[in-house]
Each structure stands twice: as C-alpha cells, then as structure tokens.
Amino acid sequence: MGNKNNPIQFGQMVLTDRVAIEVGIAKKQTFEKIGKTIGRSPVTVAREIKANRTKLPPEYPFGNDCKLARHCEKKHMCGADPEACDEKCKKCRGFNCHENCVLYESVECHQTDKPPYVCNNCYYRTKCKKTRYYYNAKHADAAVSRRRSSSRKGIRLTEEQIDTINGILKPLVNKGQPLTHIYAEHENELPVCLRSLYNYIDAGELAVKNVDLRRKVGYKRRRKKNGEEPKNGIGILGQEYRQGRGYDSFEADIGLKFSDFEVTEMDTVKGVREKGKRLLTMIFRKNSVMLLFLMPDGKADSVRRVFDYLEAGLGFECFQRLFPVILTDNGSEFKKVDDLELNENLWYRTSIYYCDPMASWQKPHIEKNHEYIRYVVPKSKSFNPYNEEDITLLMNHINSTKRASLNGKAPYELIDEDDEDMKALMDLLKMHLIPADEVHLTPDLLK
C-alpha cells in the first residue's frame, strides 16, 4: 500500500525510480521505505534490484573458488593416466575437482543472497576478489531497455504460418497488388498485422522481398513556392483565366458555396515526351473513384470534348450534381475556362478553380493516384498503343484496389448504393468492381 502522497504506481519503472532506489540503498534504507518513496511495493523494489543489478566476476586463483586453491597440488582426481596428464586438478577445465575433493571449501560470499542483494554498502567492496553485485540506476535502466528491445526482435511465426503468408502474398504481389490491398482482403487469413508484414519483409523472413514492393523509396522534398514577382510583372497568377478562380478563392468558397466532398480534382498524364495520346484524369474526393479518359492529344479542345461527352451521356443536371466544382492545375489544356464551365447553351455546368504554380500538393488525391497508373504504364511508355477499352480496364483495376487510407476499402466499395448519379456514370463508362484477388497492377495487364 502507498501513502497518500505516493500511492502505489503501476507500469514500467523509469530512470527516476531507479535513481531513488540507488540513493535509498546508499542510505541503507529498507525496501519498504524505498518503496514508499517511489510508490512501489517492497517486493517490486527487491525484484528490481535482483533483476537489474550488475555482476562483477570474481578474481579467484586459477578461477577456482576453493579456499585451498592457491596452494593445492592434487593431480589425477579424475582417474586419468599419470603419464598422459600432468595438469593440476585446480587448473583443469574439463573436470570439476569440487565434486570429488573432500577438502573443497568454497570462499564465495553469500551476503548478496539476502537484502539488499548488492555490495553497494559493503565495507570490503574495494578490496574484495569474490563475486560482487552493484546496483547502478543508469546501468539498470540500460539493461531493461536492451531486454525490451531484444524481446521484440526476430520473427514469431511457425513454419506453417510463414508458408500461409507466402502462399497469400507472393502470387498477389506478383500481380502488382499493393500490400495494403492484399491485407484488406485477407486480414482474417493472415496471422500478423500489416506493420508486421512490412517488418518481416524488411528482415528478409518472407518470400516477398523489398524489391517486390514499389513504395520502398523516399519522397523527394517538396519545393517551396517562389514568392518573387516575374520579370514581366504578370506571371501565371496574374493571367485573366485565373481571376476569381485561384486557390485562394477556392479555399474561401469551401464551406460557403460548396463542401470539400463536392470537389473533383483533375489533371492530365503524359506518356513519353512526344506528341500523341494522353490521359485526362479526374478523382472524386468523396470516395476516391478516379476516372480515366484517353485523349488523342493534350489540347484544350480534347478536354472540352470529354466534358461534352459526359454531359451528353449523363444529362445536364446529373453532370452538375457529379461535377459541381473542379480543381485543376495551370496546364495549357485547362486555360479555356469558358469552354469547360459553359455548355453549348451557355449554361454553367461546373465551376473551375486552379492550384498555385508549383503546388501539386493542393490537389493531393489525384497526384497520389497517378502512382497506380505508372505501375501499369511507366513514364518511359507511350499511350499511343492503347485504346479506350484498355484504359477502362486499367481504371477498373485501380478503383478496385483496397487502401489503408480508405479503411481497407476500394474506391468502388465506397459508392453509396443510393447514389443514382454515380451508378449512371459507372454504366456510361463501363465501370465495375474487379474481385480482390484478380486485381492486376503490372504492365502485363495491358499486354
């Protein structure tokens, strides 16, 4: 029981507790008094001292703790042939003379077998050659930290469990599936958590290696936005198409004119640096569903034709409900803002806002999802060989990938059953959920 000022504490001891124990031993206090000082029971104090005391090895003659070891001349106590062995028994490492010698008398000190279990206050400690124990707070704390660290190292799985994990991970990782997607689908079959999977892979304990995981790399440091005025005094921020549509306006209108869940982020993806086909990408913030459209080029008219196609297929009102607000970058293909915001009848079908220059982090969802496209179509690969059916297939596999950021769900699984507008969009673009184990995110998908 602790007193009112120092009630009994629970949990791991810290360095300050161990310093108090060391000071208490130096003052020759009882375990009960030390325990009251740190709010622990006397048994806990005794257990702490015995578990974490530092042992100093003895300095016995020939390493033998017998009282007569220094002058003992006995030989052949083990029955060895005198002609084959001339070693004195006290020096022998293969035979314990203590078991056979009737004159054996140990000089080992047994004072440390009883409280305080250490030699901190012993009068003879400076000259003693016997086994000694000392309690030092810093050494004790370091010993506990080492034990705690070593207890968490290594793999705690049976061979059967390892085979089970390899049987699930290896074929799915070979399909390009992210580890988060695999874990979300097979969580009940895997005997460890996602973090442990990464640790075991990093330690080389599984058939899947770090080289098989695409994201075992670091991100580049973000570049800060340059606040200097351009030489011509205008720059991108001063261009007419951005007036009232910059990121400052976008932030000001969130919560007033629209909510964050109504925002759709938009961008384009190039193949190799050549004229040719490009992808127009759009992502809904509310469910992370990404749309992919194959365009013949990266011109503004091609983007407008995608908008016109969606409006014609969905209807004007449905288009307005699905795409009330679009946030994009300052690419030349998006600068004809009137062609995007207005339809043929000059009715406003959406509102366009633009990110700041060199600030791709302002539309993080679409930038992050481009990573999945590059799994299948690397930057060195052109989009020219592909058709609309290929891109639709890619879109379905990406949107069927489960993600930790979505609580183990795939974007398609987050679509509300009552959302008729999203259902109409999925029917128009031939979007459907791919079974989890059939998700494929490698270049082989489009071969």
Side-chain angles (χ1 to χ4, degrees):
M1 297 291 291
N3 56 33
K4 293 182 179 180
N5 296 327
N6 294 286
I8 290 293
Q9 302 292 324
F10 298 95
Q12 298 287 344
M13 276 195 184
V14 295
L15 180 59
T16 53
D17 295 331
R18 295 186 170 97
V19 170
I21 292 176
E22 183 181 358
V23 172
I25 293 173
K27 292 181 178 180
K28 299 184 179 180
Q29 295 177 350
T30 63
F31 289 168
E32 184 176 2
K33 189 170 184 178
I34 296 174
K36 287 182 179 180
T37 302
I38 62 175
R40 307 276 180 169
S41 70
V43 176
T44 301
V45 175
R47 189 182 296 119
E48 161 66 20
I49 294 173
K50 287 192 287 186
N52 299 314
R53 59 188 178 178
T54 301
K55 180 181 179 180
L56 297 183
E59 301 175 23
Y60 297 127
F62 313 106
N64 196 314
D65 68 337
C66 181
K67 183 178 181 178
L68 306 175
R70 186 177 299 276
H71 306 289
C72 183
E73 300 293 330
K74 288 191 175 185
K75 299 180 180 180
H76 313 125
M77 295 180 64
C78 63
D81 186 354
E83 296 182 1
C85 177
D86 193 42
E87 188 75 37
K88 294 178 182 179
C89 292
K90 64 182 180 183
K91 298 181 180 180
C92 185
R93 295 292 178 265
F95 172 72
N96 185 2
C97 64
H98 302 168
E99 298 177 355
N100 295 64
C101 184
V102 295
L103 300 178
Y104 167 69
E105 183 179 351
S106 175
V107 293
E108 185 68 52
C109 179
H110 296 283
Q111 290 297 317
T112 53
D113 294 340
K114 55 186 179 182
Y117 305 113
V118 287
C119 308
N120 292 40
N121 296 324
C122 182
Y123 178 79
Y124 302 102
R125 66 184 182 278
T126 57
K127 298 180 180 180
C128 183
K129 304 297 183 181
K130 303 173 183 178
T131 303
R132 288 148 289 163
Y133 293 92
Y134 291 95
Y135 186 83
N136 180 281
K138 290 185 178 180
H139 293 172
D141 197 64
V144 172
S145 297
R146 286 194 299 271
R147 284 201 303 270
R148 192 177 300 153
S149 176
S150 61
S151 68
R152 296 170 182 171
K153 292 180 179 179
I155 186 168
R156 301 182 179 180
L157 297 174
T158 64
E159 292 185 3
E160 293 181 358
Q161 290 175 319
I162 293 176
D163 291 341
T164 299
I165 294 175
N166 288 334
I168 295 173
L169 294 190
K170 189 63 177 176
L172 300 181
V173 169
N174 288 343
K175 290 183 178 181
Q177 295 187 13
L179 212 55
T180 51
H181 170 83
I182 299 172
Y183 184 78
E185 178 64 20
H186 298 278
E187 180 179 0
N188 296 331
E189 303 170 50
L190 294 169
V192 294
C193 66
L194 180 60
R195 182 70 263 165
S196 294
L197 286 179
Y198 278 110
N199 290 339
Y200 292 154
I201 291 172
D202 193 50
E205 301 288 352
L206 302 178
V208 176
K209 306 301 179 185
N210 280 333
V211 71
D212 301 322
L213 305 180
R214 296 188 180 97
R215 304 219 54 215
K216 276 290 184 176
V217 293
Y219 285 108
K220 295 180 180 179
R221 293 186 64 182
R222 302 289 189 185
R223 293 177 59 183
K224 293 185 178 179
K225 185 173 64 176
N226 187 359
E228 297 180 359
E229 288 293 328
K231 293 181 179 180
N232 59 11
I234 300 176
I236 292 179
L237 296 178
Q239 294 190 18
E240 183 178 355
Y241 76 93
R242 285 182 54 93
Q243 301 311 306
R245 298 186 179 90
Y247 194 74
D248 291 340
S249 300
F250 172 79
E251 288 188 311
D253 289 342
I254 285 185
L256 296 177
K257 295 183 179 180
F258 55 86
S259 69
D260 188 63
F261 285 116
E262 294 179 289
V263 178
T264 302
E265 297 176 10
M266 180 170 66
D267 203 350
T268 55
V269 179
K270 301 177 183 179
V272 294
R273 293 184 177 274
E274 63 178 19
K275 293 182 179 179
K277 295 179 180 180
R278 295 188 184 182
L279 289 184
L280 176 69
T281 59
M282 306 172 76
I283 191 169
F284 298 100
R285 283 189 175 181
K286 62 182 178 181
N287 51 29
S288 292
V289 171
M290 183 165 66
L291 310 181
L292 303 182
F293 302 94
L294 187 64
M295 301 189 301
D297 51 47
K299 297 181 180 179
D301 287 341
S302 296
V303 179
R304 177 185 54 79
R305 282 194 290 270
V306 172
F307 276 50
D308 292 343
Y309 167 74
L310 288 173
E311 182 187 353
L314 298 171
F316 176 75
E317 294 182 355
C318 181
F319 183 94
Q320 271 193 323
R321 291 192 296 268
L322 284 173
F323 306 99
V325 182
I326 296 177
L327 178 65
T328 187
D329 58 24
N330 298 275
S332 60
E333 64 270 30
F334 302 129
K335 290 185 178 180
K336 292 185 177 181
V337 63
D338 289 338
D339 288 348
L340 300 181
E341 288 189 336
L342 303 176
N343 65 6
E344 293 181 352
N345 299 322
L346 301 183
W347 295 345
Y348 275 95
R349 56 188 174 186
T350 187
S351 296
I352 305 290
Y353 290 86
Y354 297 92
C355 297
D356 294 330
M358 305 301 295
S360 58
W361 52 269
Q362 293 175 349
K363 49 181 179 64
H365 301 80
I366 194 72
E367 296 290 346
K368 175 69 176 67
N369 271 262
H370 285 172
E371 176 182 330
Y372 293 102
I373 298 175
R374 293 307 186 188
Y375 291 165
V376 180
V377 186
K379 288 185 178 181
S380 59
K381 181 77 172 177
S382 172
F383 287 109
N384 289 338
Y386 304 123
N387 55 35
E388 294 181 0
E389 287 75 15
D390 294 329
I391 301 307
T392 299
L393 178 64
L394 173 60
M395 176 174 61
N396 285 331
H397 278 261
I398 291 174
N399 288 321
S400 299
T401 303
K402 299 177 186 289
R403 302 161 198 182
S405 60
L406 303 180
N407 295 322
K409 297 289 187 179
Y412 279 165
E413 295 175 331
L414 296 181
I415 297 176
D416 194 340
E417 294 183 358
D418 299 329
D419 194 337
E420 297 297 333
D421 292 336
M422 283 297 299
K423 288 183 179 180
L425 179 65
M426 294 186 71
D427 289 340
L428 176 65
L429 302 182
K430 300 178 182 178
M431 301 162 68
H432 62 86
L433 181 67
I434 304 294
D437 287 347
E438 296 179 16
V439 171
H440 203 116
L441 291 177
T442 69
D444 292 339
L445 176 66
L446 300 182
K447 284 186 178 179

